[in-house]
Amino acid sequence: RKTNALQDDLAAGAQRLAATQTAIHEQEIQLRRNRANLSAQLRARQAMGDDPWLKVFLSPTDPARTGRWLTYLQYLQGSQIDQIDAARDQLTELARLRAAAREEQETTARLLTEQVAVTESLRQARAERERAVKRLAGTLASRGEAIEQLQSDRARLEKVVADLPTGKAAPQALHSKEVLAAPTVFTA
């Protein structure tokens, strides 16, 4: 029963580990996309120059165009902040998933160790039962031989006792080797 429960725990752990590994892979892909977008935005900002806000304010263009540029820069900055926050969140989630994967691997290793111990314990118990069965079989065999000997002795004694009242076989039976081999006590 314990080995079946351990097998079930191992199978469930393997499924959880596979799901966690899949989630880690998906987070890594999303993080790469987010970094690529952020990198593209930073390159665009660098192409604008050192301080695009200052350039827009100091440029001699019409106010409508300056307003559009300021709105664009505001959206760009907001997007960059969102991308940076998302990258932080993804890194945090990735670290959590990796920790969960490590924990699941440790649990699996612990369950495997426990399963090996239970299997060894069962093997030892089985070996002890087999030794006990052999001892019992030996005891039964020796008792069986003793019972056969006792039954043989009983049959001989019953024959001697049956011959006693008649008086003809008793003297011969007393000198017989069969009767002398078995300890008997006669009362007169």
Side-chain angles (χ1 to χ4, degrees), residues 20-36 87 89-91 93-95 97-98:
T20 303
Q21 294 291 356
T22 302
I24 286 172
H25 182 68
E26 290 171 0
Q27 281 294 324
E28 287 173 343
I29 290 171
Q30 186 64 27
L31 185 61
R32 280 193 290 273
R33 279 191 207 132
N34 198 357
R35 283 181 178 170
D89 293 344
Q90 289 167 347
L91 285 172
E93 179 65 12
L94 189 58
L97 287 171
R98 285 183 177 155

Side-chain angles (χ1 to χ4, degrees), residues 13 18 21 27 30 45-47 50 63 68 72 79 83 86 96 105 114 122 125-126 135 143 153 156-157 160 166 177:
Q21 294 291 356
Q27 281 294 324
Q30 186 64 27
R45 183 174 176 156
Q46 188 178 15
D50 290 337
R68 286 192 303 271
Y72 168 75
S79 176
Q83 297 258 336
R96 186 193 67 76
Q105 288 169 340
E114 187 176 340
L122 290 174
R126 180 179 293 137
R135 282 193 308 267
R143 286 188 181 173
D153 291 347
R156 280 194 310 258
L157 287 174
V160 169
T166 60
K177 289 182 182 176

Side-chain angles (χ1 to χ4, degrees), residues 133-155:
V133 166
K134 286 180 183 177
R135 282 193 308 267
L136 287 174
T139 302
L140 287 175
S142 67
R143 286 188 181 173
E145 291 171 1
I147 288 174
E148 288 177 13
Q149 180 63 40
L150 289 173
Q151 287 175 342
S152 172
D153 291 347
R154 179 180 176 191

Side-chain angles (χ1 to χ4, degrees), residues 37-53:
N37 288 340
L38 189 56
S39 177
Q41 288 178 5
L42 290 174
R43 278 193 298 276
R45 183 174 176 156
Q46 188 178 15
M48 290 181 172
D50 290 337
D51 191 6
W53 293 91

Side-chain angles (χ1 to χ4, degrees), residues 36-177:
N37 288 340
L38 189 56
S39 177
Q41 288 178 5
L42 290 174
R43 278 193 298 276
R45 183 174 176 156
Q46 188 178 15
M48 290 181 172
D50 290 337
D51 191 6
W53 293 91
L54 185 60
K55 279 186 176 182
V56 169
F57 280 125
L58 296 178
S59 70
T61 58
D62 68 280
R65 186 171 176 182
T66 301
R68 286 192 303 271
W69 268 105
L70 289 174
T71 303
Y72 168 75
L73 289 173
Q74 188 177 9
Y75 283 128
L76 182 62
Q77 186 178 20
S79 176
Q80 288 172 344
I81 290 170
D82 291 344
Q83 297 258 336
I84 290 170
D85 289 342
R88 278 191 194 124
D89 293 344
Q90 289 167 347
L91 285 172
T92 302
E93 179 65 12
L94 189 58
R96 186 193 67 76
L97 287 171
R98 285 183 177 155
R102 273 192 308 277
E103 183 179 320
E104 196 60 49
Q105 288 169 340
E106 290 169 0
T107 300
T108 300
R110 182 185 53 77
L111 288 174
L112 283 172
T113 303
E114 187 176 340
Q115 183 180 25
V116 167
V118 167
T119 302
E120 180 61 23
S121 171
L122 290 174
R123 187 194 62 75
Q124 289 175 354
R126 180 179 293 137
E128 181 60 33
R129 279 194 307 271
E130 288 173 0
R131 286 192 295 273
V133 166
K134 286 180 183 177
R135 282 193 308 267
L136 287 174
T139 302
L140 287 175
S142 67
R143 286 188 181 173
E145 291 171 1
I147 288 174
E148 288 177 13
Q149 180 63 40
L150 289 173
Q151 287 175 342
S152 172
D153 291 347
R154 179 180 176 191
R156 280 194 310 258
L157 287 174
E158 284 177 353
K159 183 179 177 188
V160 169
V161 170
D163 288 342
L164 276 178
T166 60
K168 54 184 172 173
Q172 293 169 350
L174 287 176
H175 298 291
S176 168
K177 289 182 182 176

